[in-house]
Amino acid sequence: MIKMIRFLKKEWYIILILLVSVFPVFLYLGNLPFSSWDESLFAMRAYHILERGDLLFNFLEFDSYKDHSNRKPFLTSLLQVGFWKLFGISELNLRIPVSLAFLTLLCIPGFLRERLHLDRIHVWCFALLLLTSGSMIRNHVVRTGDQDVFVCLYMFLAALFFYLYLNTEGLKKRKYLNLLVLFTFCTLYTKTIFAFMFFPGFLLYAIYKRRLKDLLSDRRVYLLGGILLLSFIGYNLYMNSRNPFFIEGFLNHALGRYGAVVDGQEYKGFSYYWLGIYNKSFSDFIYFLVLSPVLLITKKGYKYRDLQIFAWIISLSFIFIISLSKTKTFWYVIPALPFVALVLALNIEYFFRHLFRVLSLQWKGFVYGIVISALFISPYMDVMAKVVEHKYMPYYDFEMEGAMIKRLEGSLPEVKDYTVLIKRENPQTSLYTSWFNEQKKYKLKIDIFPIENYKVGQCVLSCNYNLSETIRKKYNYKALSDWKSCHLMQIESIR
């Protein structure tokens, strides 16, 4: 505790980073229902571990859900289970660990500032760049209970410790290797093969530093790497013993996505991630990247040459690898964004420091910080506008059932027995049905199209226009509650 106080006295701006993060990260965080698909699947896993005391091997154990094996490792889910155990089952308590992981990510350059030889303004810029990125403050990343922020944090730490390992001698070198393996382990047991997707960049950087021979001759690399791989092989064999065809399903899922377009998506082309970074991630600041070749080529004594080259190698190699995949989703690129932000932070700081010098302005840290911060006011407000926009409404119209179930809990708490009519299986509805039935003494049932014959007095919830129209044509009903596309109807007679 004393060390933390001393650290914060020295790195006081970290408190400021946390303060400006509060609204975009936490505001209305618990308002929306669990999102389909991934967040609801993570919530299912956490719920099963908490309530059953063992791992979830197949999502089929939830009411009216399909055969779907649990192929993602459980390590980070245990953190979310811990929050549910301490603070109760809720959307907010699944998402808070993700929010805290993001705040940690913002502060990592501050924690390693002296080791990386960064200035405070670099850390401040880095945090603001990620905090105002449209690719970060949104669903499936910071604003939901998905685990991509954790993956991003683990991979960022692993990469920085590799950088320090390769640029350090003595006992600290061993410590950095241990930390590299630790966070590779965390990534591996959160998102499997993503743990190794920075490794080609590691090799390229080692070649650039002329340290490849040293790296390959370090016996601890093979020892720790072997332990890591053997543990993962053992994990997969165990999962396969509990759920036949688990390994086959894992290979088809992980490698199949790379070689073919799956999950009903469209092929988005090689340029998808590159354009995404340009248009969505750092659109207001992307032009500062052009400073890098100028600094690296013409500035012989440039202090951050190695760090810039490392960040460029890691981000470019990673984006190139995922761009070859046939199946593309925006959150796959998230692990590269801290390195893009790091390069931008270095360039922004250099630009304004040089500008002050050219204009013969006196260099004052406070004034300089104000000038830099002014750059981020507009992007910050844009991010906040999106947070407010999704204050109550789900991101997608097929997620309305969960929102309506929560809404009915507040507006019609006495109505606890009704059927949720859906067009096809979805994890959100299965999760809410199990959660409300087991924890809140509801009697919810799920009906999947085609529609069954409903009895007089039966209550039916539909959030799909076509399904609602089918009920209206087939039955006389009493409207109990209407909201957006959702309707709770009590059957009175057959037409």
Side-chain angles (χ1 to χ4, degrees), residues 75-207:
L75 177 66
T76 299
S77 287
L78 295 180
L79 297 175
Q80 295 173 309
V81 171
F83 264 74
W84 274 6
K85 182 71 173 178
L86 290 173
F87 307 112
I89 300 171
S90 71
E91 295 86 353
L92 178 63
N93 291 334
L94 189 82
R95 293 166 183 166
I96 284 180
V98 177
S99 302
L100 296 178
F102 180 66
L103 296 185
T104 304
L105 176 64
L106 297 183
C107 299
I108 288 300
F111 298 145
L112 299 175
R113 188 175 69 83
E114 292 183 354
R115 293 178 179 85
L116 298 174
H117 308 294
L118 297 172
D119 289 334
R120 291 182 176 89
I121 199 67
H122 292 135
V123 182
W124 177 241
C125 285
F126 172 86
L128 289 178
L129 283 161
L130 291 182
L131 193 60
T132 57
S133 172
S135 295
M136 297 296 285
I137 309 298
R138 58 161 299 160
N139 66 309
H140 213 295
V141 192
V142 174
R143 296 285 301 176
T144 49
D146 303 275
Q147 296 181 358
D148 293 272
V149 169
F150 278 103
V151 174
C152 183
L153 173 63
Y154 299 149
M155 293 178 72
F156 187 53
L157 283 167
L160 290 180
F161 286 124
F162 175 82
Y163 173 82
L164 293 171
Y165 162 77
L166 215 62
N167 289 282
T168 306
E169 300 297 338
L171 293 177
K172 284 188 176 181
K173 192 178 183 70
R174 178 175 298 181
K175 181 183 74 172
Y176 292 140
L177 178 60
N178 292 339
L179 289 169
L180 161 63
V181 173
L182 171 64
F183 288 107
T184 300
F185 173 89
C186 292
T187 310
L188 184 63
Y189 281 88
T190 301
K191 203 165 184 176
T192 61
I193 62 173
F194 262 67
F196 307 113
M197 293 182 77
F198 279 170
F199 281 32
F202 291 172
L203 291 176
L204 290 174
Y205 181 71
I207 293 171

